[in-house]
Amino acid sequence: MVGLMSLTALISVFLAYGAYRLGWIHRSPRLQWTLTAAYAGSGLLIFLNVWIIARLMFASWHDLLLATVLLAFATGIAMSLGYFSSAALTDRIRMLVQAAREIAQGRLATRVSDPGRDEMAALAQTFNEMAAQLQATEQKQRELDVLRRDLIAWVSHDLRTPLTSIRAILEALADGVVEDPAVAQRYLQTAQRDIRSLSGLIDDLFEMAQMDAGGLQLERSAGSIADLISDTIERFSEIAGRQGIELHGSAGAGVDPVHFDLQRMSRVLSNLTGNALRHTPAGGSVCLTAARTPEGVTVAVEDSGEGIRPEDLPYIFDRFYRGEKSRNRATGGSGLGLAIARGVVEAHGGVIRVESEPGMGAKFVFTIPNDSGSGK
């Protein structure tokens, strides 16, 4: 009996290994058929083994017939359970295949619902995570495409306006249309202003390109934030005076020294101050302050201007975003100043935020964290 069972077991293992090595298992068009065939083959081998042993052990044909009937029922039950188990497994696989096809067709919102707790459920969860990442990537790509198109349109607009003005002025001067020296001088001053505007836009674009490429190198050194505030106020005092705006500021005790890139932080403070002056009416005020905090040095630029609409606040630091949709250069810059300010502050390891309500002015606050390092 032991020899017979060992022989049939070896034959079974040999046949299964041969089917595996020769690839016969993979030739079946459906996994369910493969699993059912495996259950049927296993049941048949068990049936034959037990039947032969029973034939040798039982002297009565009645007992052998009874054992045969019982074996037939047991084999049938095993095959039925195996069939439905394989059907449940293949149904879940088909669900995954169908979801994968929908993903391939671009329907990235497709998800698989599998309440199980086995490996197939884990596979379904992994599939859903993959689909969510693909959807997020596709959404980000769409946003980048929109931003790229907007970038071309906005840059074209901001370049074309001063170029058109400069060309008209040069043509007028070249054709001798302007004969009055005072008018010619005024035309030249306008051309100089437009050239400075173009130069500033090109500088902003170059700065953003450096940030995107990860090439924004900081030359940090110990400096004075109080002197930086004083220099900024002096730089914008004439503009503030012409607009009838009070520009003042102060630095708290113990703010200096600060470890930062002086040139780039000066750019941040200039962008914030120029933005505040641009949106503050005559009779208003702009105040620059700095104070030492446990996290570092906090700098604030606060104005009493028109404030920022709630719908604009989430996007105020996005590049080329301007609440004034006409992109009139008289009421707004290129839309890069705040984006550059955020990039420089974050390169220092700090954060920048804005607090504002319509009609109540705006307050831009950024922090330069404590840093004793001296590298780039």
Side-chain angles (χ1 to χ4, degrees):
M1 183 177 64
V2 173
L4 178 62
M5 294 180 66
S6 299
L7 178 62
T8 54
L10 287 174
I11 294 174
S12 302
V13 172
F14 177 76
L15 291 176
Y17 180 75
Y20 166 70
R21 294 297 298 176
L22 296 175
W24 293 346
I25 295 177
H26 306 301
R27 295 180 182 178
S28 174
R30 295 183 61 182
L31 178 61
Q32 185 177 0
W33 294 355
T34 302
L35 295 175
T36 302
Y39 288 127
S42 300
L44 181 60
L45 288 173
I46 295 173
F47 179 88
L48 290 175
N49 277 290
V50 176
W51 188 87
I52 293 173
I53 294 172
R55 176 69 180 82
L56 296 175
M57 291 177 60
F58 295 147
S60 170
W61 281 98
H62 179 270
D63 293 341
L64 180 61
L65 179 60
L66 180 60
T68 303
V69 172
L70 292 176
L71 285 172
F73 271 102
T75 303
I77 292 172
M79 290 181 62
S80 299
L81 291 176
Y83 174 81
F84 288 113
S85 297
S86 62
L89 177 62
T90 53
D91 286 345
R92 296 164 77 185
I93 293 176
R94 279 196 295 270
M95 181 173 58
L96 279 170
V97 170
Q98 179 61 32
R101 287 174 179 168
E102 293 183 4
I103 291 291
Q105 294 172 0
R107 293 191 285 271
L108 300 181
T110 302
R111 298 293 183 270
V112 177
S113 176
D114 194 327
R117 295 182 295 178
D118 55 7
E119 290 83 354
M120 288 299 300
L123 177 61
Q125 181 179 359
T126 303
F127 177 90
N128 289 338
E129 292 173 356
M130 178 200 68
Q133 290 180 358
L134 289 174
Q135 189 176 19
T137 302
E138 195 251 356
Q139 176 65 25
K140 185 176 181 180
Q141 184 61 45
R142 283 203 302 265
E143 292 175 355
L144 288 175
D145 290 340
V146 172
L147 181 60
R148 189 179 299 111
R149 290 194 297 269
D150 291 344
L151 172 65
I152 295 173
W154 292 336
V155 170
S156 299
H157 178 277
D158 288 346
L159 288 175
R160 183 174 60 247
T161 301
L163 282 175
T164 301
S165 173
I166 294 172
R167 183 178 63 182
I169 289 173
L170 292 178
E171 289 177 351
L173 293 176
D175 294 341
V177 175
V178 181
E179 297 180 354
D180 188 347
V183 175
Q185 182 64 28
R186 190 170 66 251
Y187 275 25
L188 290 175
Q189 291 175 351
T190 301
Q192 287 178 333
R193 185 177 64 250
D194 289 336
I195 290 173
R196 286 194 296 268
S197 175
L198 283 174
S199 178
L201 176 59
I202 292 172
D203 289 343
D204 287 346
L205 291 172
F206 180 71
E207 195 92 6
M208 291 305 304
Q210 281 187 309
M211 293 180 183
D212 290 340
L216 186 61
Q217 299 293 324
L218 299 180
E219 297 289 346
R220 301 190 185 192
S221 60
S224 171
I225 197 71
D227 290 345
L228 182 58
I229 289 176
S230 178
D231 292 342
T232 304
I233 292 174
E234 183 178 355
R235 186 182 310 121
F236 285 93
S237 59
E238 183 181 351
I239 298 175
R242 288 202 307 264
Q243 297 179 203
I245 300 173
E246 180 187 358
L247 177 62
H248 59 95
S250 63
V255 296
D256 295 326
V258 182
H259 198 74
F260 65 125
D261 185 317
L262 177 61
Q263 181 179 359
R264 296 192 184 279
M265 200 54 68
S266 175
R267 178 77 177 277
V268 171
L269 208 54
S270 294
N271 287 353
L272 295 179
T273 304
N275 185 71
L277 291 172
R278 193 158 42 241
H279 295 282
T280 301
S285 65
V286 174
C287 181
L288 283 64
T289 59
R292 173 70 65 176
T293 64
E295 295 77 19
V297 173
T298 298
V299 182
V301 178
E302 185 173 6
D303 65 68
S304 61
E306 61 199 33
I308 304 171
R309 295 176 300 180
E311 59 268 27
D312 292 329
L313 281 175
Y315 312 102
I316 200 67
F317 292 105
D318 291 353
R319 66 189 65 184
F320 285 105
Y321 184 83
R322 284 171 55 181
E324 192 274 311
K325 303 304 180 184
S326 68
R327 300 193 62 82
N328 184 353
R329 297 192 65 85
T331 58
S334 65
L336 287 174
L338 294 180
I340 291 173
R342 181 179 64 176
V344 172
V345 170
E346 290 179 350
H348 280 78
V351 293
I352 185 170
R353 70 181 191 276
V354 59
E355 304 168 3
S356 179
E357 293 182 11
M360 302 296 292
K363 182 179 182 180
F364 287 85
V365 182
F366 65 89
T367 301
I368 307 173
N370 295 315
D371 184 6
S372 58
S374 58
K376 291 183 179 182

